[in-house]
Each structure stands twice: as C-alpha cells, then as structure tokens.
Amino acid sequence: MTRFLLFCFWLLAGTLEAQMMPSRRLEIMRDEKKSEDFEVLPLGKQGVLITKTVDDPFRGIAHLYHFSRYDSTLALRWEAEFKLKYPFEGLLSYHTNEQLYWLCGDPHSEKIQIWKINLETGDTEMIDGEVLAIDEVSKFKVLGNKAFLAGTYNDRPVVVAFSFFDKSSKALPELYDSHLSINELDVDERSNQIHVFSRLTRKGKCQLQLQSYDYDGRLLHKTMLSDESGKSLITAKIVRLKTGESLLVGNYSLNCSDYSQGLYLTKLNGSEPDAIRYVPFHELQNFFNYLKPSRQERLKNRIAEQQKRGKDPRFHYLLQIHDPVPTDHGYLLVAEAYFPQAKTTASTTPFVVSRPRRSSYDSYRYTHALVCGLDASGRFVWDNSMDLKDLTTDVLGPQVQLSSEGDTLRLTYSHENKVRAVQIQGSKTLGKPQEYELFSEELKKNMDRDTYPSLASWYGPYFLSWGYRKLSATGQQPTREAFFVYRLEHPRIVEE
C-alpha cells in the first residue's frame, strides 16, 4: 500500500533556519508478515526509482522485486515487478538515462537473467541465458544490446560479453593473466567501444593498462599508462571532452602502494597518452584545510624545508574517486580520503540500486573530501576541500553530495541525524561550514533509531532523504512501520 502525502510545514517556521526544509513526502507501508527492504535511485529531474525487495518463502519466491517510478513531485508514474525464483540471486545493476538493468545469477550453474526496465514507461523485458568462464562478477555494464561482465575465473581476471539477441557469450582477449587485476570497466556510447583498465603487477613493478575493444569484442589497442618518473597510476576515470578528445584522471602512488601521492591528468592522443601531468597533494591550494590551523602551519613549514633541501614532499592517503561530473564550464572531480579501522558506527552511505562491494575491512573513517575544477579542455583550474568530521561507515561508498546554484557549489554529507555543508565558488569558501538538523524533533519522534536516514542530492536545490518510521495506531489500525522518502531543500548559506 502506498500513500502519497503533500504537506506544508508552516508550524515549523520557527526552526527552518536550523534544519532542512521538507516540502514533499512519500510513505510506503511495510507488510510485517514479509521481509521487505527498500532502495532508492535518484534520477534527477526525471524523478526517483524505488525498489522494494520482498522475501516470500510461502509463495516459493526467493525475491520479488517491485519497482516504483515517481516524478519530481513524488507522484507515482508507474509500477512493475519481477519474481526471482530459487536459486537465482540478484547481483548487480546498471542504468542509463533510459533503461535500468538488473543482473541475476544462479550460483550453482552458468545461468543468468537480465531484467530490462524502461525508466520512462515501465515496460519490462527478461533476458535468459548462460555466461561461460566467469565465477564471480564484480562489474556489470550494458552497451547497446550486449552486457559486459567483469570478474574472475579460476582466480584470474576476465571480462565476458553477453549478447541479448543470440544469447552467446565471449571472453574479451588478452585479460586472462594472473598478473592483472581489473579496476575499471567503461562503456562509451559515443564510440561504441569498451574500455578495460587493469593493473599489471610483475617483478615488483606496477603499471596501469588500458585495453580498448570494439562492440564485437575485438581488441583495438593496448596502452601502458606509465612514464619514466617511477610513479604508478592507481585508478583512471575517462572524461569525454566536448572537443571529442578523451581525458584520463585519477590518483598515483610510488612503489606499487595503494596510498596516493596526488592526482594526475593526461589526454589520450589516439591510442597513446600525452605527457602525464602529476599534481602532488602539497601543490593543491586547499588539500590540507581539514587540519587545524596550527597543524597546517607546521605542515607548510615542513614542506618548505624539504623543498629547500631538494627533497620531494610525500604524503600517503587512500582515495576514493567519484565519476567526473560535467558542468556548464567544464568538469568536477571529487575524491574522499579515508583509512580503514575497526567497526564503530552504522553506515551513513546513501543506499542506491547498485550496492557498494564490501571488503575485508570492518569500517572506514573519512578525513576530508577534495573537489577539483577542470575547464572545458580538461585543464586543472582550482581545488577546494571539506572536512568530513566524525564520518565512519561500514561500507566504502561515495559520501559527499554535490548541488549547484549558478556558479556556487554546495558540498553536503549526512552524519547521524545532522547535515553538514560548505558552500564554495572555485577555491573560495563562502562563510563557515554549517550544520543542520535533518528533520525537526516532531518528525524524528517515530523514526527508526537503529539506522540513520540516508541523504542524496537530487536536482537543483533539492535533496532526497529516506528511512523508516513508526505510524501511530488509529482506530482499528495498530502501530505500523513505513518506509518514507522526503523531498528536502537545503537552506541557503549566507556569505559572512
């Protein structure tokens, strides 16, 4: 049962300055006789997709997936569902602007199912087949009428192409190597190509490798992304410039370490990279702003002293890099610095359809977020940062949300029942960091206290927050639990 409520909060006017401002609300009743979980996929101005997963063993269904698409006012557009029968399990999802794809697999065989859902109309299609030579799937992308699955087979990396038409599967060549580990799978609709980034480790040396394939899985070229500097590239994200060129951005390290020394940028000139530009952390204007002023001053003095002696200052950070974001003026690159630690708190990661993968670590403590601006030609222009104070999660996933208003950019993240935000214009920070209550005390009364609400940037000034709350008993109706989604508007930060 779904109940849609429009409501105003005039009674809360006295507290609006200290909290996010709800303007729309959606509630979906939970069936206490079934196990129900909810996930949210923001679709920008297109609206939002809510996926309800139901365990119903009495009907012989391992999972029932119920999809509901709402528009930007949280009005229901369409509903659809799939029944997943044992022993199939939901694995990964992927979406474009038009379609959502769910990959499901049978752990005891090579059989798969791919569900295809049109996000505009809700029309559905199920594609059955078998995928050979892959044991575990870690990445899933779709290009045209083919799915590409990256993972391992006999503990070696593999990428398999699966055709929706003839149900054939084919492993992409020259990846099945025990010295390789795949770290990125990219599909390019513009060129109809597939790009695989892998890390080659041999004889104590590491190199990032790019292999590009055509739509039929033929290897077009293999590029070793390295130079004579002794630095090793850790990750790569492709930025498709409006000029038609491709820019690679990511982080780099020394001696095959996973700990970054800084960022890099390089353009692809055909199949070969141009000269790699390295941007070490100490050259960034605002990278160390999360530290107290006294520590920043000591650090700057230490850097100056090392450079005076001809030494290259080195810093070690684990970085999680977001997909680059196109803007009217160029591109934004966001990265979060973190370190693993023992589990202490519940996750506050916004939970969307594609689940982040868990690792061997118990939890992660974040220190700060870095945001960099690139111009339309891919040149580095400015940097800024945000302190991620007290932020700990048990799943490694993106934390900072971006929203823009003209040339002003807002960086936001949620911590427990609070929202923390900074507002910037390029390298300039406007005013002081702000902290708001996510909801009023009245709204928080009946919310689930075991988990904190999630927060995600939606479109324009709007955010989405979701979680669980109790509904008080009325008449013959007992107390019930509901999954809620709120449309929120962030208070404007005034420059001081």
Side-chain angles (χ1 to χ4, degrees), residues 27 77 145 173 193 208 245 252 266 316 318 367 373 392 405 461 466:
E27 288 178 348
R77 290 285 302 275
N145 287 293
Q193 293 180 5
L208 193 65
E245 300 172 291
Y252 73 92
T266 181
H316 306 277
L318 288 172
T367 58
T392 304
E405 207 172 318
W466 60 91

Side-chain angles (χ1 to χ4, degrees), residues 84-85 87-92 101-115 125-137 140-142 145-149 160-164 167-170:
L84 185 62
K85 293 185 178 180
F88 280 89
E89 299 174 352
L91 299 178
L92 296 170
Y101 301 88
W102 263 100
L103 172 67
C104 305
D106 177 356
H108 309 296
S109 73
E110 296 168 335
K111 295 180 180 179
I112 65 167
Q113 291 180 350
I114 295 177
W115 302 341
E125 178 184 356
M126 186 173 73
I127 303 160
D128 289 293
E130 294 186 3
V131 174
L132 306 177
I134 189 165
D135 296 325
E136 181 179 347
V137 181
F140 168 59
K141 298 287 180 70
V142 175
N145 287 293
K146 289 184 180 180
F148 295 87
L149 288 64
V160 177
F162 172 76
S163 171
F164 295 167
K167 313 299 176 64
S168 63
S169 62
K170 171 186 177 181

Side-chain angles (χ1 to χ4, degrees), residues 1 73 78-79 152 168 183 194 217 251 274 294 309 315 330 333 341 346 365 396 407 428 440:
M1 174 181 177
T73 68
W78 54 258
E79 295 178 286
T152 57
S168 63
N183 65 8
I194 302 92
N251 51 328
D274 288 343
S294 57
R309 297 200 303 265
F315 299 91
L333 181 65
Q341 65 170 22
R365 181 69 175 264
L396 187 61
D407 61 350
K428 179 183 179 182
S440 68

Side-chain angles (χ1 to χ4, degrees), residues 35 197 233 238 264 270-271 311 323-324 353 406 420 475 484:
S35 174
F197 291 95
L233 310 187
I238 296 181
Y264 76 88
S271 62
K311 292 186 176 181
D323 290 333
V353 173
R420 292 170 178 166
F484 70 82

Side-chain angles (χ1 to χ4, degrees), residues 69-88:
R69 159 79 192 285
Y70 298 85
D71 65 18
S72 59
T73 68
L74 293 184
L76 182 64
R77 290 285 302 275
W78 54 258
E79 295 178 286
E81 70 178 28
F82 284 105
K83 296 176 183 178
L84 185 62
K85 293 185 178 180
Y86 181 84
F88 280 89

Side-chain angles (χ1 to χ4, degrees), residues 193 195 197 210 212 221 223-225 237-239 241 244-248 265-275:
Q193 293 180 5
H195 305 292
F197 291 95
L210 167 62
S212 298
H221 50 78
T223 305
M224 304 305 296
L225 302 170
K237 300 283 187 179
I238 296 181
V239 180
L241 302 175
E245 300 172 291
S246 292
L247 177 75
L248 298 185
L265 304 92
T266 181
K267 284 185 180 179
L268 283 179
N269 184 9
S271 62
E272 295 300 322
D274 288 343

Side-chain angles (χ1 to χ4, degrees), residues 237-250 263-268 274-279 324-333 372-382:
K237 300 283 187 179
I238 296 181
V239 180
R240 294 176 177 88
L241 302 175
K242 297 175 183 178
T243 59
E245 300 172 291
S246 292
L247 177 75
L248 298 185
V249 297
L263 305 176
Y264 76 88
L265 304 92
T266 181
K267 284 185 180 179
L268 283 179
D274 288 343
I276 300 174
R277 182 193 172 189
Y278 297 100
V279 185
V325 179
T327 68
D328 293 338
H329 306 292
Y331 307 87
L332 295 174
L333 181 65
C372 300
L374 310 178
D375 66 16
S377 63
R379 288 191 297 260
F380 190 92
V381 180
W382 57 264

